Amino acid sequence: MNNRFTIVAICASLLLTCSCCADKQQARDFDPPIMGWSSWNYFKTNISEEVICGQADALISTGLADAGYIYVNIDDGFTDGRGEDGRIRIDTTKFPNGMKAVADYIHSIGLKAGMYSDAGDNTCASLNVKPYGLGVGLYGHEVQDCKMMFDEWGYDFFKVDNCGGRHLDLNEQEQFTKIAEALAQCDNKHINFNVCRWVFPGTWVREIADSWRTTHDIWVDWGSVKTIIKENMYTVAYCGDGHYNDLDMLEIGMGFPPEVERTHMACWCIQSSPLVVGCDLYKMPDYSIEFLKNADLIAMDQDRLGIAAPVVQKDGEVYVFAKDMERFYGPKRAVVVSNLGDAPATIDVSLQALGFEGAVKVYDCFSHSDREELCGSDYFTLEIAPHDSEALFVTGKRIEKSVYQGEEAFLNAYTEINDQDYEAYRRPYEIPSPRYWESPTADLGLYATLLGGWEENWLEWQRVYSMDGGDYAMTVRYACADSRDMTISVNGEDVQCLTGLNSGGDLDWQEVTAKVTLNKGWNAVRLSNPAAPMPSIDYMTLKKFE
Ligand code: GLA
């Protein structure tokens, strides 16, 4: 405990330094993804006041807090059932001074504190470490629990799981919305809300949460990291305006080799995921601390645009992700090139695919230096070891994006929750929700499908940019095995209904072209058919008429 006094002093100076970060943050319209530490990955339910306060101290002593990791999130395992008054009881063998004392300590050293619960009756620990988690979920106690955790105890972040919700077969949209409403009733108006139900919940989640998990739990295994990266190749459209896909807590510092940690960190950062460290902070290898503190990658993650990066080029198992930084269509882009395969690979990265023409400047986010050898042609060649990644800032003259992939489009009715989802959208059971599917026949390996058939089931590219506005040839690559129709709309106006589309097979791709007029700046281009299924969509291209 002694060193805590020193730490309070260090923190006072940290807070002073941080007031300038606060100024910078005011320049943006929304908060960046959260950064911090969580107890689950390493400690599971073996947590206590000592563990949590000790890890909070370590965020400071390792310099991670200074780098931006300021949340200390207590996950499952601090409860001991509910009292007769309905109030959650705390496990006082682990937390003898209660949960407020822990939040107070975390705040006293300049950090923020996070809480955990479940949308249903039990938390997830109830599944395998009973009695933890039985009867302590939010269901039926939404307002009572939220007021206790956020007004009485003063926590700042809330992760809400769904094991109890699933157990009770709750309608998730309704229950998570009810929880958001309970949070809104708290006097504490700065609660960061994370929905954790292990698949993309549905577009409704953007309305109620700051971030949401998109996959099952991460573990210390390359396959787990790779699966999460691949599944988030098609969640890009849902990230924006301060709402983020949560790729799950970081396993950095838990025993991965450096190349996997480079990929893990770079991919989480280019997708603007929350960065929540999951290891024992006293046991991290030096290289892990270095990756976590990498200021260039953190800048990529926390960038003020708050967007995720689509795949812009693919060669075998090597994927190139790119997103704007600092300013939409400004000169600087973040680029991550990941070799998800098990063999060394070489890739020629196309500047056109990255959105540039002419000379570019390439800066390496791992060596923190310029890569002059990569400049001077219309492509650059990278050799990448298995499971490794390059992370770059590329700066140069921008060209208009001309290819918009199906997998980067916003699918309005997209959800991976099946059963409850049918009810939530009140649509007939026989109509499945839209999906992004993998196929080697599709450009970049992915396409959007199961579209149309009811009013809400449309696809939209919501950030179509035209430098000067004007008339374009819009070519759509589609597939369907029978005759189908779809309407193209631009900025809410129907432009053309394409009828009788039939490519002869579900994966036999064909092209159809229509004329569209784009405004200067941003446009939304939608494909829809409320009455009947639409073709699958691989991509659309835009070419300006001379
Ligand atoms: C689920 C979540 C994990 C963790 C555990 C706690 O599995 O996805 O992140 O919170 O529950 O029991």
Side-chain angles (χ1 to χ4, degrees):
M1 282 286 179
N2 240 350
N3 66 341
R4 300 235 168 99
F5 284 105
T6 339
I7 283 156
V8 172
I10 297 170
C11 260
S13 62
L14 193 105
L15 281 177
L16 285 178
T17 340
C18 268
S19 58
C20 60
C21 322
D23 284 349
K24 262 196 217 143
Q25 286 189 12
Q26 277 163 16
R28 69 170 92 215
D29 303 328
F30 44 74
D31 289 334
I34 69 151
M35 294 173 65
W37 172 87
S38 164
S39 55
W40 183 254
N41 288 12
Y42 184 84
F43 292 97
K44 299 285 186 281
T45 51
N46 300 316
I47 51 173
S48 63
E49 177 175 327
E50 212 182 340
V51 165
I52 302 296
C53 295
Q55 295 290 320
D57 291 345
L59 277 181
I60 307 248
S61 59
T62 54
L64 284 168
D66 223 357
Y69 296 85
I70 57 166
Y71 281 83
V72 180
N73 294 344
I74 303 172
D75 208 283
D76 211 349
F78 59 90
T79 55
D80 182 23
R82 276 186 197 273
E84 286 188 354
D85 53 357
R87 214 175 135 86
I88 285 178
R89 281 193 306 250
I90 302 309
D91 183 339
T92 49
T93 56
K94 295 165 157 189
F95 293 93
N97 299 304
M99 304 316 288
K100 179 174 184 324
V102 181
D104 286 349
Y105 178 71
I106 293 169
H107 289 145
S108 77
I109 61 170
L111 304 179
K112 291 182 181 241
M115 261 285 120
Y116 167 91
S117 191
D118 191 286
D121 51 355
N122 306 328
T123 68
C124 289
S126 67
L127 298 181
N128 38 32
V129 273
K130 284 191 177 98
Y132 280 118
L134 283 178
V136 293
L138 291 160
Y139 185 64
H141 300 271
E142 293 85 359
V143 172
Q144 180 184 24
D145 287 2
C146 288
K147 284 197 171 275
M148 177 182 73
M149 291 171 171
F150 302 101
D151 286 344
E152 200 183 309
W153 297 347
Y155 281 80
D156 311 285
F157 166 88
F158 201 19
K159 167 175 169 180
V160 180
D161 236 326
N162 194 49
C163 290
R166 178 185 275 181
H167 168 234
L168 295 176
D169 202 17
L170 299 180
N171 176 311
E172 298 183 28
Q173 179 175 3
E174 275 171 28
Q175 180 58 8
F176 279 106
T177 302
K178 193 167 180 192
I179 295 162
E181 284 163 5
L183 290 173
Q185 287 186 41
C186 292
D187 296 331
N188 181 347
K189 295 295 174 213
H190 302 283
I191 307 159
N192 193 291
F193 181 30
N194 174 270
V195 167
C196 176
R197 59 90 53 240
W198 331 292
V199 291
F200 182 76
T203 49
W204 52 268
V205 79
R206 283 178 52 90
E207 309 299 319
I208 59 159
D210 298 285
S211 62
W212 50 84
R213 285 271 299 280
T214 54
T215 57
H216 284 276
D217 290 4
I218 192 168
W219 73 98
V220 194
D221 171 75
W222 163 247
S224 167
V225 170
K226 177 175 170 174
T227 303
I228 293 175
I229 294 168
K230 290 195 78 174
E231 288 201 26
N232 283 283
M233 286 176 188
Y234 46 78
T235 56
V236 178
Y238 311 100
C239 174
D241 305 324
H243 305 274
Y244 305 98
N245 296 301
D246 174 3
L247 278 60
D248 204 357
M249 295 163 289
L250 297 165
E251 291 282 47
I252 292 174
M254 300 273 275
F256 275 133
E259 68 277 9
V260 172
E261 294 203 343
R262 266 197 294 271
T263 294
H264 191 353
M265 184 72 183
C267 287
W268 265 235
C269 289
I270 199 149
Q271 299 305 4
S272 294
S273 172
L275 296 179
V276 181
V277 186
C279 68
D280 178 348
L281 297 174
Y282 290 99
K283 293 188 183 157
M284 279 184 291
D286 288 346
Y287 65 79
S288 302
I289 304 190
E290 196 185 312
F291 293 146
L292 290 172
K293 289 207 273 193
N294 183 316
D296 291 318
L297 290 177
I298 291 173
M300 193 187 277
D301 181 79
Q302 302 279 296
D303 182 63
R304 62 184 300 279
L305 299 182
I307 52 171
V311 174
V312 296
Q313 188 183 340
K314 174 181 186 294
D315 189 352
E317 288 244 70
V318 183
Y319 292 85
V320 182
F321 303 88
K323 70 172 181 182
D324 288 358
M325 273 188 74
E326 295 166 11
R327 187 153 64 81
F328 282 113
Y329 270 89
K332 180 174 174 183
R333 304 204 86 199
V335 175
V336 166
V337 186
S338 296
N339 179 1
L340 303 186
D342 298 329
T346 302
I347 183 169
D348 291 337
V349 179
S350 147
L351 287 190
Q352 190 190 0
L354 293 183
F356 294 98
E357 70 179 2
V360 291
K361 198 175 137 219
V362 182
Y363 172 89
D364 188 319
C365 298
F366 285 114
S367 68
H368 310 293
S369 58
D370 289 335
R371 295 272 296 266
E372 270 156 35
E373 84 281 8
L374 298 185
C375 309
S377 178
D378 52 4
Y379 66 91
F380 55 78
T381 304
L382 298 173
E383 285 170 26
I384 311 185
H387 309 170
D388 207 347
S389 290
E390 300 261 12
L392 310 165
F393 293 147
V394 181
T395 312
K397 181 168 182 274
R398 298 296 305 278
I399 50 172
E400 245 173 51
K401 182 175 162 88
S402 59
V403 185
Y404 290 84
Q405 296 288 340
E407 60 271 20
E408 62 183 299
F410 185 93
L411 308 190
N412 184 52
Y414 177 49
T415 169
E416 292 181 331
I417 300 171
N418 287 319
D419 303 338
Q420 289 101 11
D421 169 58
Y422 288 111
E423 228 181 275
Y425 283 98
R426 289 203 180 76
R427 62 180 193 261
Y429 260 75
E430 64 273 16
I431 303 176
S433 65
R435 279 283 183 278
Y436 304 92
W437 278 350
E438 279 194 70
S439 167
T441 65
D443 188 45
L444 305 184
L446 284 161
Y447 65 103
T449 190
L450 303 181
L451 295 155
W454 79 95
E455 195 69 46
E456 293 86 2
N457 193 10
W458 40 262
L459 168 156
E460 191 169 69
W461 289 282
Q462 298 186 324
R463 291 198 195 109
V464 174
Y465 189 79
S466 170
M467 287 182 177
D468 301 311
D471 292 342
Y472 286 76
M474 171 179 167
T475 299
V476 183
R477 190 171 192 246
Y478 71 93
C480 48
D482 49 11
S483 179
R484 297 188 179 193
D485 306 340
M486 66 184 172
T487 299
I488 301 175
S489 329
V490 175
N491 302 323
E493 299 276 327
D494 290 355
V495 171
Q496 193 175 335
C497 181
L498 303 167
T499 54
L501 300 172
N502 184 351
S503 68
D506 288 336
L507 291 172
D508 293 328
W509 300 98
Q510 250 181 40
E511 292 185 350
V512 59
T513 299
K515 184 183 145 198
V516 295
T517 305
L518 300 182
N519 292 334
K520 183 175 159 71
W522 297 112
N523 297 269
V525 176
R526 183 180 295 193
L527 301 177
S528 63
N529 182 343
M534 271 169 54
S536 299
I537 305 296
D538 187 6
Y539 59 73
M540 69 102 168
T541 60
L542 288 169
K543 192 167 184 322
K544 197 163 184 192
F545 288 120
E546 295 305 325

